[in-house]
Amino acid sequence: METFRLLVLLWLTLAGIFADAAAQIGVIEAKPEEKQDAHCQLYISDDVVFSFSFNVSGSPIINVINYTDRELIIDATGLSFRLADRREVQPTLLRIATGLPGDYLYRSYVTIRPRSAFAIEPNGLDEELKQMESLSIRMGFFNYKMEPVRQEIFDVMLDRLAQVNLFSKSIRRDFRELSIPFKGEKVRAGFPD
């Protein structure tokens, strides 16, 4: 009888541990939404990912991950930063690091190759972006509206996204396994200029 009671107690303990572990998968955010940081923004879908933040030197950086088999073109004027005073500003150029210290290329648009990742910097808006509220990126017929998140969430998502294979047969399955939720919104923008 004592052995039976011990086994039942052990089973209940293990069931509680596994239930707690299962309930915690993907749970990384518990604080209220007003704690979001406008300087950490994400758009995550199974075809493209955009992340926005400031790098260690204080420059704004947009990282793009293209999971599709087609090229994506990002135009500088397609980036729209909404500031705290409700103004919207767009850069005129994109700054691209060449890999050499202090050496950059300046382009009005950049092509993101299929199944690749790329980092770009909007040029000329550094000071104004300190008071930004939101960022949207227009590509073709769609606006990709990014979602502000807390710094901790941003770091966790970037770490998880780094584990996704660009050549995976099922990005959605990889996202489910790594507990990567979709973020942001894709809306039809009409005809491009």
Side-chain angles (χ1 to χ4, degrees):
M1 183 68 167
E2 188 65 34
T3 308
F4 178 73
R5 201 164 22 159
L6 185 61
L7 284 174
V8 168
L9 220 101
L10 179 63
W11 181 81
L12 289 173
T13 304
L14 288 175
I17 289 171
F18 289 128
D20 285 346
Q24 293 301 315
I25 292 175
V27 176
I28 55 172
E29 185 168 11
K31 293 183 182 176
E33 287 185 15
E34 55 266 7
K35 300 290 183 188
Q36 308 302 352
D37 184 356
H39 295 148
C40 296
Q41 298 206 11
L42 291 169
Y43 173 86
I44 300 175
S45 73
D46 58 349
D47 58 350
V48 66
V49 170
F50 299 109
S51 69
F52 171 83
S53 64
F54 287 88
N55 64 15
V56 291
S57 64
S59 298
I61 253 299
I62 299 170
N63 289 298
V64 183
I65 304 172
N66 180 3
Y67 292 118
T68 69
D69 291 323
R70 64 186 188 286
E71 293 182 340
L72 302 176
I73 297 174
I74 298 179
D75 191 313
T77 58
L79 303 178
S80 183
F81 295 91
R82 180 171 221 148
L83 306 179
D85 62 5
R86 301 290 182 216
R87 286 184 302 138
E88 293 209 14
V89 294
Q90 286 96 14
T92 54
L93 293 174
L94 302 172
R95 186 166 92 161
I96 305 159
T98 64
L100 300 172
D103 189 32
Y104 298 95
L105 295 173
Y106 293 87
R107 308 268 321 254
S108 62
Y109 71 94
V110 71
T111 302
I112 312 296
R113 301 283 178 221
R115 308 273 179 190
S116 68
F118 203 75
I120 54 178
E121 295 178 39
N123 188 49
L125 302 173
D126 300 0
E127 243 354 271
E128 289 189 74
L129 294 185
K130 300 293 182 189
Q131 293 130 27
M132 72 171 275
E133 279 187 355
S134 64
L135 166 62
S136 66
I137 298 172
R138 182 177 177 158
M139 283 193 318
F141 297 109
F142 295 98
N143 272 336
Y144 298 84
K145 296 182 177 186
M146 300 181 74
E147 182 178 322
V149 295
R150 289 194 335 270
Q151 178 72 48
E152 309 90 70
I153 305 301
F154 186 81
D155 293 340
V156 168
M157 286 299 109
L158 291 188
D159 182 55
R160 290 179 184 178
L161 286 164
Q163 298 175 46
V164 176
N165 180 355
L166 287 170
F167 296 95
S168 174
K169 293 186 189 281
S170 176
I171 298 297
R172 279 183 183 256
R173 185 187 65 233
D174 293 350
F175 279 13
R176 275 193 312 273
E177 289 173 0
L178 292 166
S179 297
I180 300 173
F182 287 176
K183 294 267 185 202
E185 184 182 7
K186 177 181 176 181
V187 295
R188 197 161 220 6
F191 291 100
D193 297 336

